[in-house]
Amino acid sequence: SPGTEWVSAAERPGGSLLTRQLQELWRRSRGSLAPQRLLFEVTSASVVSERSSKYVLYTIYLIRSGQFDKAPATISRRYSDFEQLNRHLRCRFSCDMASVAFPRKRLRRNFTAETIAKRSRAFEQFLSHLHSIDEIRRSPEFLEFFFLPDLQAAQRLTCTGMYREALATWANAYRLQDRLGVCSSGRFLLTLAGLAVCHQELDQLSEAHGCCEQALQLLEAQGSHPLLGPFLQAHVHLAWKVGKDKRRSEARLQDLREAGLPLQQQPSLKECLIKEPLE
């Protein structure tokens, strides 16, 4: 399996050592059949007034059962976001969704403390129920409800040079994908690219180097990937700057050259980030 190849490649002499955190991530990302229990907790709800509309914004923490998270993974969503998720899932998984309860829309008293408290509990139960259903838990509709808005916001912030704000948003997207057990997907690689670029722009070079290392471990089992060349080139550059071993990445770049990949025309990680369509 790719997982076995990945770990053994990283443990070979001369291979970059797999960090304990990364091994842990990999074990978790492969555990999607028997997920770690994830709790969804509404930690606050605030009434937002915008010009002619008024709505409640619910902030939800994703918490691993039995573990203390120093930095929580959080989302903020309004009723209409949950309603849209509910609608999409009922279209695609009508049988599974038959037993899932969703709080009805009210015509009045939407902003009373009682309604907000009841809705908060209902949304926690709604997300927990969805997460307990295998097919739904692994569906793009469910997963992207959590991290796609952060990826889109982080991409916008990176494009406009707001690297500190972008870094916090990429980091939250990273934590969300980690909690949801999808640390081997293309979106996760893009998140690592975002983190690497922002760390580098903020002159946090060893952190940027660490993100490239992690991405290259994930790409170990893949012969070709659009981000492989850009990650290798960034890794070589950063390893040189921070005084770390770059021979393995140089050798992999040489293999790509010999396979006919025109590395001079390869986009940088930053260009890959900016061009990636995130719908």
Side-chain angles (χ1 to χ4, degrees), residues 140-248:
E141 291 90 342
F142 178 72
L143 293 167
E144 293 192 345
F145 168 79
F146 291 95
F147 56 77
L148 189 59
D150 267 10
L151 293 182
Q152 290 167 331
Q155 185 186 49
R156 280 195 304 274
L157 290 164
T158 308
C159 288
T160 52
M162 297 178 72
Y163 300 114
R164 203 165 294 284
E165 296 84 346
L167 182 62
T169 313
W170 288 118
N172 191 56
Y174 177 108
R175 289 191 293 271
L176 288 167
Q177 289 168 89
D178 173 31
R179 304 297 185 276
L180 293 160
V182 284
C183 287
S184 52
S185 72
R187 299 287 204 203
F188 190 66
L189 284 166
L190 191 74
T191 307
L192 287 171
L195 288 167
V197 165
C198 291
H199 278 307
Q200 187 170 357
E201 292 287 351
L202 294 166
D203 222 25
Q204 298 163 355
L205 301 186
S206 58
E207 289 89 343
H209 175 264
C211 294
C212 291
E213 289 259 280
Q214 192 175 343
L216 290 173
Q217 300 287 8
L218 282 168
L219 289 163
E220 186 77 54
Q222 300 202 30
S224 67
H225 186 283
L227 286 171
L228 179 57
F231 266 122
L232 285 169
Q233 289 179 318
H235 185 251
V236 167
H237 172 73
L238 287 160
W240 174 73
K241 288 249 186 182
V242 298
K244 293 279 173 77
D245 188 357
K246 58 189 190 324
R247 287 169 298 182
R248 180 159 170 70

Side-chain angles (χ1 to χ4, degrees), residues 31-51:
S32 59
L33 291 172
Q36 196 161 13
R37 186 147 150 63
L38 198 57
L39 306 173
F40 301 91
E41 186 184 324
V42 175
T43 57
S44 68
S46 50
V47 178
V48 179
S49 294
E50 273 180 5
R51 293 190 201 94

